[in-house]
Amino acid sequence: MVQAIVLLPLLGFLVAGIGNRALGDLGARLVTTIAVGVACALAWLVFLRQWEGEGAYVVTVAEWFSSGALRVSWQLRVDMLVAVMLVVVTTVSALVHLYSWGYMAEDSSQPRFFAYLSLFTFAMLMLVTAESLVQLFFGWEGVGLASYLLIGFWYERPAAKAAAIKAFVVNRVGDFGFMLGLFAAFLVFGTLDLSDMLAAVPRHRDTTIELLGTPVDALTAIALLLFVGAMGKSAQLGLHTWLPDAMEGPTPVSALIHAATMVTAGVFLVCRLSPLFEAAPLALDVVTYLGAATALFAATVATTQHDIKRVIAYSTCSQLGFMFFAAGIGAYGAAMFHLFTHAFFKALLFLGAGSVIHAMHHEQDMRRYGGLARHVPLTFAAMTVGTLAITGFFFTAGYYSKDGILFSAFARGREPALVAFAVGLVTALLTSFYSWRLVFLTFFGAPRWDGHHHAPHESPPSMLVPLGVLALGALGAGALFHEAYIGAHHPFWQGAIVHDRAFAAAAHDVPALVHWAPAIAMAAGFLIALRQYVLKPGAAEDFVRTFHTLHGFFYRKWYFDELYDALFVRPARALGRMFWQGGDLGLIDRLGPDGVSAAVGAGASAARRFQSGLLQAYAMVMLVGVAGLVTWLLAAR
Amino acid sequence: MLSAMILLPLVGAAVVGLLGDAVRARWVALLTTLAVLGLALGLWAGFDTSTAAFQYVERAEPFGGLFSWHLGIDGIGLVLILLSAFLMPFAILAGWESVRERVPEYLAAFLVMEAFIIGVFAALDLILFYVFFEAGLIPMYLIIGVWGGKRRIYASYKFFLYTLLGSVLMLLAMIWMVREAGTTDIPALMAHDFPLSAQRWLWLGFFASFAVKMPMWPVHTWLPDAHVEAPTAGSMILAGVLLKMGGYGFLRFSLPMFPEASAEFVGLVFALSMVAVVYTSLVALAQEDMKKLIAYSSVAHMAFVTGGLFALNTQGLEGAMFVMVSHGLVSAALFFCVGVVYDRLHTREIARYGGLATNMPRYALFFLLFTLASIALPGTSGFVGEFLALMGIFSASSLAGVVMATGVILGAAYMLWLYARVAYGRIVHDDVRAMPDLKPREWAVMLPLAASVLWLGVNPGPVLAPVRAPVESLMARLVERGVVADASLSPARATGAG
């Protein structure tokens, strides 16, 4: 069955990709959407079976390659962790396929679009079901490719073109670490198959490897190198710069790839390798601090952006930070639970934003929105649900998952966890603020758009149905699943990830003040946004004027792009030119071939004369050589 | 059978030369290369991958016993002969319309070159090898010098000068070897134990020639010029096959014949390879000419080969072999991609293009696939080799592994930027807008190359299986000579395990 789940989207991709124009728009839509839809139904079946305790199993499809002791096979692994990912990926993918019927209706290359969506889904499924880390890397790079293709889908736009390259190259920086992590893992474990590797972790607690001349703890090194890969894919601080730019892709893509699924691959990786990370406490602390830093950083930037998609993109970045610090403090269940609920409410927010953008004829600047609630009431309702969920309003999905993370951090009690708890609370406030700011700027107040050019209209059913389904998830997924994912009594994970039940129980039993702290932060964020953007029009502008520098710093995204441009991009180009003009032409050629020709009294004209006899000369040298060899042979007799 | 594969293209060349008619010459040349490919597939079908022994051995003494017509292949030779025979028909097709002057001579040059290339990979006699190795360059030299671009004289002169330097030093080394061992028989030489003091000089003599062929930094500067001036088909064979003669030389001569010296010079090879990856990748980033960019990327990719070979472990060696095959397919395909647009617009300047995805979507798709294979995306042939080679390099030296792995970042940067500048964006020039998509002849080149790149990416067994036994036997020799401790990567470098 798992084979069918993985291969159906591939089939959809191939049919739509090869059929392309011949298949037509409707044909491509139907084939890909049905394929992913069936995969989704099967995925839920697998999920239920796993939940009932079917147990982990591995299906071998074929050998991929082997060399020496390294054996890599195409294998599909199913356990509870995989089942959760299967459900998340196929559900959001199916809904996004459907949503795109409406959103992309006027696009002229729909077969290509749907083919790419299905290609992405296939690669993501290969990633999550991988038993070999090399297959995981196949999926890892495959989703990167799909992301590249979809960010650059409107390839005529310069911004899309640049964003696509940036996404791929920044991810490659992460993959560089990932690959080194694979090499180190193979050196230590002698295998890259997950089951064997993780089973061998206890035996290597004291193993050291030599890295760049220094002996280092093997498990820590492997965990950190692989985490560099996770940072790239999941846009964590330092390697996050591609994600906001990725918003150049069509909005359904942002929802599927850059919010719900691909960007969570890093979190999945850390959870998948939780036994390894548990044995590398230093690596866990790094994950915690970096996750917390990302959560806060991205939230500060999100408070200042004008582009509706960029706000949500930074929000995604921030929420991924939450998931990472959850994993870093050892609350893998909480990290996965937030990944699960976030998929629903973030996809909802993105698709809702897409619906607004659709209504506003591709205007994305919130300064030209306002008062849209009347015009697109269903979209407004969906966005409100999504906002309630992300801010953690009582009994919504985010309430259970985000609070679960914060309580876990408090319950852990060690230093990085407590720092993360504090940072998480501040971030929760900021999250509430920027999320409501988005809603108020978009749906409330006086219209700031030109009524002659824009006639906002509600989206078609193909777009509203996915919004409805996701809204149900954003409201109910937390209440329905929290006992299973983060409960202290439920054998949900069945060993698929490290799940410390005593820790889970402690996280449910925090002091009342801690228990209410997230709610207070949420309310504070809401009230500030309400005051600034609804009750006191103009207050926001006054604030910006007063805190000009700070706002500029946040608005310019802490100057990361400028910094990287100065540190890496420009020096790389300058070095390239220097090596080329100075090294190759100026030094090697001048001292080498050109120098030789000058030395034999030549210059260009002599080289030309030389040329006519060159071939003969060459053949001559060869003949003389053979003659010489033969003479030596004769002499040797 | 090997003799037939060498003689057949020579006969074909004679027929083509005598015909004097361009159209018929093209068909004869194409059919000849297809027949050779058929024979190569025959070799493959009958090949026993379980042994490192040379197969299809032929031995004759037409040279009065001074040296022999001694041919035979192991898995390494087989794979490289297959690669050459596979690429040659596409090279003929690539120049089908664009070459209009002295067509029979042009085609004859290719056929002669094919004969010599197969000779290089099949020769089991040192002198025979030397003759094929050096003579194989003459047709390429002519192809650049006669059918090349504006600066063809300079390019072929540079090509000649570098190669000459390498040949002379290799020749001296060969003379000494034959003197010392008293035989020109390659299998005998591979088992001969040369004294270490001699090994060092011999190793350096061969290194001079193979390093130029690869080419390794800093003797690489002939390659960009040669590629830029060569006609499309010339570039395809140059990058696809001729560069592999260097890697083959290391595998057949340097490593088995001079194992101790090879181990001593690992540092040198690693250092040059590390510089090559970073340096030429950065230079590639600065290029404005499509062919130059791909030529520089070739140098970077070949550094994975030299690094993998001198990692002196199974993964490194097998990875290096796989990189050679994959790069052969991918670089030939990329040069063909340049040729396709060059035939239409007669410029290689990247900035003149842009937006080709709009009016040449099929072309853009193939170009994308080969770009991705070039940056070693898993699922394409590029990945398996680079992954294994880097794994081997990393376990031999983490520093070399880390530095060379930066190639995966830089490679993505320059290739995707090239692709974006050519295929993405809005079309600005009318002549670019008027360019038609692929013709049937171009499909006939693109499709098989694309299929093989994908097929080997998902199922690399056909290349890895024949190589396994020769690599095992080479590793056994290195272990026997005490050069390396263990054939395969193992937790040896990890201490405190268990």
Side-chain angles (χ1 to χ4, degrees), chain B residues 263-309:
Chain B
E264 278 192 12
F265 286 113
V266 163
L268 171 72
V269 174
F270 272 14
L272 295 182
S273 305
M274 280 153 69
V275 173
V277 168
V278 177
Y279 179 109
T280 51
S281 294
L282 288 171
V283 172
L285 211 48
Q287 297 307 307
E288 306 290 335
D289 180 306
M290 294 166 97
K291 269 189 151 182
K292 269 204 175 156
L293 194 155
I294 298 170
Y296 275 109
S297 89
S298 285
V299 182
H301 279 102
M302 285 302 106
F304 291 129
V305 175
T306 47
L309 291 176

Side-chain angles (χ1 to χ4, degrees), chain A residues 295-307 310-315 318 366 426-438 441 525 528-529 532-533 540 543-544 550-558:
Chain A
L296 181 64
F297 153 77
T300 60
V301 178
T303 57
T304 59
Q305 299 299 307
H306 298 305
D307 183 315
R310 283 191 180 245
V311 174
I312 308 178
Y314 277 104
S315 159
S318 172
M366 293 191 296
V426 176
T427 308
L429 188 155
L430 290 171
T431 307
S432 176
F433 169 75
Y434 69 66
S435 300
W436 286 112
R437 168 179 177 263
L438 184 151
L441 282 175
I528 298 170
Q532 298 287 83
Y533 296 99
F543 182 85
V544 170
L550 188 68
H551 179 267
F553 185 65
F554 290 166
Y555 181 68
R556 302 293 304 176
K557 306 159 249 170
W558 296 29

Side-chain angles (χ1 to χ4, degrees), chain A residues 93-174:
Chain A
S93 177
L95 292 173
V96 164
H97 271 79
L98 181 61
Y99 179 92
S100 303
W101 286 49
Y103 193 83
M104 300 299 284
E106 280 144 43
D107 200 275
S108 60
S109 357
Q110 290 181 50
R112 186 162 63 92
F113 181 79
F114 284 91
Y116 288 169
L117 279 187
S118 288
L119 171 67
F120 166 77
T121 311
F122 163 69
M124 190 69 202
L125 293 171
M126 287 295 278
L127 190 165
V128 299
T129 56
E131 165 67 6
S132 165
L133 275 179
V134 186
Q135 182 187 321
L136 198 150
F137 191 62
F138 168 88
W140 192 266
E141 293 255 301
V143 293
L145 166 66
S147 163
Y148 165 83
L149 292 170
L150 284 164
I151 295 169
F153 182 74
W154 287 314
Y155 57 81
E156 290 192 332
R157 299 181 185 170
K161 179 169 107 172
I165 299 180
K166 184 172 175 184
F168 200 96
V169 173
V170 174
N171 266 292
R172 267 288 165 112
V173 177

